């Protein structure tokens, strides 16, 4: 762990219960610069930056708010910077570039430590930026190995073979955590769900497979589908 403090942070008013994963869209050096720059008009930061070789940089202490999520919503709560930890994973575009194994191994260790310190981060509250800001954000991208993380106890992954949910898919998505269709459409939110849980086809169409995956996830978190 390399300490590289950022000036971009604020006091925490609420306990941490969400972990947000991002990709940087920039190389390591540029990322570390941007996330520690206090002169740009929209100051940004994150608690951690994870290099491609697995090196972890700590920029903001976990008991301070970092500015990584922006306009966001999960499980009915908005402006998630206040209640979350943010990890920026170095990758230029997670739809096109694989995450190296050594980077993901380090990420799993880092997430485990964070969740150990904040037990309110239950598995469904480990999210991608794209989950909490549909359409506006696509990180950590289609190639991010969510299934591998879930197999290590970080976040959820749906089992195949569930009965597809019927009825209002928007409400079912919201029951799991996704935002309401305000400023974005239900299709945008379906696409966001698919980016995360069915990356082979993220077309915004709630087909039977999408509905079955959502049904299983709701089952995992104890909701009637
Ligand atoms: Zn992001």
């Amino acid at each position: 762990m390399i300490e590289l403090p950022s000036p971009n942070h604020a006091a925490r008013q609420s306990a941490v219960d969400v972990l947000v994963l991002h990709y940087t869209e920039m190389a390591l050096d540029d990322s570390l610069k941007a996330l520690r720059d206090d002169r740009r008009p929209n100051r940004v930061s994150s608690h951690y930056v994870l290099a491609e070789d697995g090196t972890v940089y700590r920029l903001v202490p976990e008991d301070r708010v970092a500015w990584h999520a922006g306009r966001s919503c999960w499980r009915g709560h908005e402006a998630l910077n206040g209640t979350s930890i943010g990890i920026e994973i170095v990758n230029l575009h997670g739809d096109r570039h694989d995450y190296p194994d050594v980077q993901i191994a380090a990420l799993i260790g880092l997430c485990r430590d964070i969740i150990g310190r904040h037990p309110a981060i239950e598995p469904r509250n480990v999210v991608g930026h794209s989950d909490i800001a549909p359409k506006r954000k696509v990180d950590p991208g289609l190639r991010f190995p969510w299934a591998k993380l879930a197999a290590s106890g970080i976040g959820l992954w749906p089992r195949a073979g569930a009965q597809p949910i019927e009825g209002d898919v928007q409400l079912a998505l919201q029951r799991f955590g996704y935002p309401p269709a305000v400023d974005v459409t239900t299709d945008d939110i379906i696409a966001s769900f698919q980016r995360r849980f069915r990356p082979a086809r993220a077309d915004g169409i709630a087909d039977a497979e999408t509905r079955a995956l959502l049904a299983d996830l709701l089952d995992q978190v104890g909701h009637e589908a």
Side-chain angles (χ1 to χ4, degrees):
M1 181 95 66
I2 297 174
E3 303 287 346
L4 212 54
S6 169
N8 301 340
H9 53 80
R12 263 208 205 284
Q13 320 284 353
S14 324
V16 168
D17 64 359
V18 175
L19 177 56
V20 186
L21 305 184
H22 307 259
Y23 63 65
T24 53
E25 220 175 331
M26 287 185 282
L28 176 63
D29 285 356
D30 290 340
S31 304
L32 292 172
K33 243 178 241 155
L35 294 164
R36 295 161 59 232
D37 183 353
D38 61 2
R39 283 166 309 208
R40 50 187 278 164
N42 294 307
R43 290 162 66 183
V44 291
S45 59
S46 63
H47 295 90
Y48 300 98
V49 173
L50 178 57
E52 284 171 302
D53 68 359
T55 303
V56 179
Y57 295 82
R58 175 157 43 206
L59 277 58
V60 174
E62 292 179 4
D63 63 357
R64 302 284 296 176
V65 169
W67 301 329
H68 55 96
R71 196 155 38 77
S72 51
C73 177
W74 190 246
R75 295 177 73 183
H77 300 283
E78 296 187 344
L80 295 165
N81 281 339
T83 53
S84 67
I85 303 281
I87 303 175
E88 287 280 357
I89 308 162
V90 175
N91 184 307
L92 295 182
H93 199 305
D95 284 3
R96 295 194 287 273
H97 303 290
D98 285 328
Y99 289 82
D101 289 344
V102 63
Q103 188 181 33
I104 293 304
L107 177 64
I108 288 169
L110 177 61
C111 290
R112 276 208 184 112
D113 290 347
I114 292 168
I115 292 166
R117 289 189 286 271
H118 307 277
I121 303 176
E122 46 185 311
R124 72 194 287 192
N125 286 0
V126 178
V127 295
H129 204 183
S130 54
D131 294 314
I132 62 173
K135 191 174 182 190
R136 189 172 73 82
K137 292 292 175 180
V138 297
D139 57 316
L142 297 169
R143 297 200 184 200
F144 185 77
W146 286 108
K148 198 169 180 177
L149 263 72
S152 304
I154 316 295
L156 296 178
W157 189 249
R159 301 160 294 199
Q163 193 67 24
I165 50 149
E166 293 173 8
D168 189 334
V169 72
Q170 173 66 47
L171 285 179
L173 286 163
Q174 283 176 234
R175 275 205 294 277
F176 185 67
Y178 284 86
V182 176
D183 301 328
V184 295
T185 66
T186 293
D187 290 0
D188 295 328
I189 298 165
I190 294 166
S192 181
F193 173 87
Q194 292 167 329
R195 293 188 70 77
R196 167 80 184 269
F197 295 112
R198 211 269 305 266
R201 187 150 43 100
D203 56 7
I205 297 169
D207 56 12
E209 187 189 13
T210 301
R211 286 174 172 270
L213 296 173
L214 179 54
D216 181 72
L217 287 164
L218 286 169
D219 185 53
Q220 289 189 38
V221 299
H223 274 288
E224 289 293 317

